[in-house]
Amino acid sequence: MRKFIILLSLFFLLSPIVWAQEPGKVWTQESAKKFSIEEIQRLGLEANGLVLAARSQVNIANAGVVAASAYPNPEVMVMAGPVDRRIPESLTGPMSDQRTVTVNQPIENPFMRSARIGAAEAGVEAGRASLDQVRADLAAQLRVRAYELLLRQEQAALEQSIFDLLKEVHRRIKLNVERGEAARFELIRAETELKSVENRKEAARLNAERARVALLQFSAGALPANFEVKASLKDAVALPPLDMLRKEVPEANPEIVRLQAEQERAKLRIDQERASVLPSVNVLYSNYQDTQFNSNTAGLSVRVPIFYRRRGEIDSAIFDSARVRETLDYRRYEVGQLFESAWQALQIAQRRVEMFESGLIKEAENAVEVAQAAYRFGERGLIEVLDTQRVLRGILGDALQARFDLQAAAAEIDRLRAHYPKELIPE
């Protein structure tokens, strides 16, 4: 019984040290390559197909500007054929051929042309904003998934250390029961606790593997299978002051920028439709030749909108502009609320981290030591000691979760303000 008490004492004294192991040590391999959070984001942004597709949309929009800036091509019409006589040849002379060449050059309305080019350029800005939104969303997801992997590895290391120590305690209790130095019900309790810890250890290991697969998925396989994250849940969170963030988020948020570009494009579409009501002009030139004559004529062809003045197209453009404006107003409000919610989540997580680090973990460790001492003197049973140990384990798990929540809230704020390593992304 004395040996069991000494071993149990060592178990609880060494527990805080084991639980403070380097994150992910259970999974670390000597050949594994470590990547920082920024490197993981860079690799993911370069390889992810959604980012590549969004970049192609920007190229398509740039091509649309070229098309909108092009001048209309002229039309050339050539007609030729023989001339048949209808009166005697003595009066008309011999038969001959005739040829007519007509050139039609549309003259574009400058107001409609400038509006069309401006709408195409606004489409480029909208495409770039959509690309930034895809990048910001993916970069935030990569950051959260990387810290989730660290969290799961920490939890797996915690459960593995508990299992190893409790397994040794179970072995010692079994020996004491076989020698008659301890009651058999203590062995039953230890076996039950060991099975419970083993189940938690296996679940934690599988959760760590699942987090690794999720990160590989978001990085589109750019990371090697045995990679490691060169970061920690205790990494400092550096954000600008609240007032600066409240001003920055509505100006930098990619979705708001995209809707602003969409609104500008919708306004220019209204101008384009209204300008199309103005008469359109075509310059005509015609050359006629036959045996006796050579004729050159020039003129204008004007399309006058008398019966239909594009009322439907103009109204459609007006209502579309109103739709975009209302969507923009709502998204401005919604993004502001999302930021406020993320900021409050950040503050809550910071308070929780401070609470755990300011002495809560130490108090739980002291409670374990007191329970262990009381058990040593026969004032408490093994079940009370295991209960205090479970409380300590729960507090340590909550502390890890609080640190992860802090990093996740910071990632959400960076997503809303489109803050990610842009300089590492090739345009």
Side-chain angles (χ1 to χ4, degrees):
M1 190 65 179
R2 182 183 301 273
K3 293 181 180 179
F4 165 70
I5 294 175
I6 294 175
L7 182 60
L8 189 63
S9 176
L10 289 174
F11 168 71
F12 290 109
L13 288 176
L14 293 177
S15 295
I17 299 176
V18 177
W19 290 335
Q21 291 182 35
E22 181 184 353
K25 189 165 185 180
V26 174
W27 315 102
T28 302
Q29 300 177 3
E30 292 183 1
S31 60
K33 185 176 180 181
K34 293 187 177 182
F35 296 87
S36 65
I37 299 296
E38 290 76 13
E39 290 173 338
I40 292 175
Q41 289 176 315
R42 175 178 59 83
L43 291 174
L45 290 171
E46 289 177 354
N48 191 277
L50 294 178
V51 177
L52 299 178
R55 189 178 290 115
S56 297
Q57 288 294 330
V58 177
N59 296 332
I60 293 173
N62 284 319
V65 175
V66 175
S69 304
Y71 289 98
N73 293 319
E75 297 179 3
V76 179
M77 182 173 60
V78 178
M79 293 184 297
V83 176
D84 294 332
R85 58 178 185 271
R86 300 176 61 187
I87 56 179
E89 182 177 354
S90 59
L91 298 176
T92 62
M95 292 172 33
S96 63
D97 294 334
Q98 60 87 23
R99 184 192 66 187
T100 302
V101 178
T102 303
V103 179
N104 181 3
Q105 175 62 57
I107 303 300
E108 199 169 20
N109 184 337
F111 301 104
M112 185 173 65
R113 173 181 172 81
S114 62
R116 186 180 68 245
I117 295 175
E121 291 173 346
V124 174
E125 294 301 321
R128 289 174 179 169
S130 297
L131 173 59
D132 285 341
Q133 182 177 357
V134 173
R135 286 173 171 175
D137 291 345
L138 180 60
Q141 289 176 333
L142 287 168
R143 180 177 173 182
V144 171
R145 295 294 179 177
Y147 279 112
E148 182 182 2
L149 176 58
L150 292 175
L151 171 66
R152 301 307 180 191
Q153 289 178 338
E154 289 266 15
Q155 292 173 340
L158 174 64
E159 297 296 343
Q160 180 66 45
S161 62
I162 294 174
F163 174 77
D164 292 341
L165 292 174
L166 196 57
K167 187 176 181 181
E168 180 63 21
V169 171
H170 172 267
R171 187 182 69 83
R172 293 292 182 178
I173 293 177
K174 185 176 180 180
L175 292 176
N176 292 334
V177 171
E178 291 175 354
R179 291 196 296 262
E181 297 178 1
R184 185 164 185 82
F185 72 91
E186 290 188 355
L187 178 60
I188 296 174
R189 289 176 179 175
E191 288 176 348
T192 303
E193 191 70 19
L194 182 63
K195 290 180 180 179
S196 176
V197 172
E198 185 177 9
N199 290 334
R200 288 198 305 270
K201 179 198 66 143
E202 186 64 19
R205 185 187 67 82
L206 294 176
N207 285 334
E209 288 299 324
R210 185 174 60 179
R212 176 181 294 273
V213 171
L215 185 53
L216 286 172
Q217 175 185 353
F218 278 100
S219 65
L223 293 171
N226 61 341
F227 75 94
E228 292 295 333
V229 181
K230 187 168 61 176
S232 171
L233 289 173
K234 295 182 179 180
D235 290 344
V237 173
L239 290 173
L242 177 60
D243 294 337
M244 187 179 298
L245 286 173
R246 283 175 174 164
K247 182 179 179 182
E248 178 185 359
V249 168
E251 296 176 354
N253 184 266
E255 187 171 5
I256 293 179
V257 174
R258 178 184 63 81
L259 288 172
Q260 288 173 340
E262 292 282 356
Q263 184 181 33
E264 181 64 20
R265 182 166 62 176
K267 289 180 180 178
L268 290 171
R269 185 190 166 199
I270 296 175
D271 297 339
Q272 179 181 349
E273 293 297 339
R274 286 174 174 170
S276 66
V277 178
L278 299 176
S280 59
V281 179
N282 291 354
V283 177
L284 303 176
Y285 167 77
S286 179
N287 173 261
Y288 173 79
Q289 293 182 5
D290 60 18
T291 304
Q292 299 181 0
F293 302 101
N294 182 14
S295 173
N296 293 290
T297 58
L300 298 175
S301 171
V302 181
R303 181 177 62 85
V304 182
I306 296 177
F307 300 106
Y308 182 62
R309 300 181 61 82
R310 299 186 67 83
R311 188 70 260 169
E313 289 81 355
I314 295 174
D315 288 345
S316 175
I318 291 174
F319 291 133
D320 184 61
S321 177
R323 176 189 64 81
V324 176
R325 183 181 64 254
E326 292 163 358
T327 304
L328 174 60
D329 293 340
Y330 173 74
R331 286 302 296 165
R332 274 203 185 104
Y333 170 78
E334 189 176 31
V335 167
Q337 295 304 307
L338 288 173
F339 166 72
E340 294 295 337
S341 176
W343 181 263
Q344 293 301 324
L346 179 74
Q347 299 304 309
I348 293 172
Q350 283 181 335
R351 294 192 192 99
R352 292 186 64 201
V353 170
E354 293 171 358
M355 176 184 66
F356 287 117
E357 294 180 350
S358 62
L360 186 58
I361 295 177
K362 185 61 179 178
E363 292 176 1
E365 291 174 351
N366 293 336
V368 170
E369 294 177 0
V370 170
Q372 171 254 322
Y375 178 80
R376 184 186 305 126
F377 293 105
E379 298 177 0
R380 291 289 187 273
L382 178 62
I383 190 65
E384 287 82 0
V385 178
L386 294 177
D387 285 341
T388 56
Q389 179 264 338
R390 276 192 290 268
V391 171
L392 175 60
R393 183 177 63 240
I395 291 176
L396 291 174
D398 290 342
L400 293 176
Q401 185 65 44
R403 294 191 183 100
F404 169 76
D405 292 341
L406 179 64
Q407 298 294 339
E412 174 65 11
I413 293 176
D414 283 344
R415 183 189 72 84
L416 292 173
R417 66 189 185 113
H419 183 74
Y420 58 93
K422 297 184 181 69
E423 67 279 3
L424 300 178
I425 308 302
E427 293 293 343

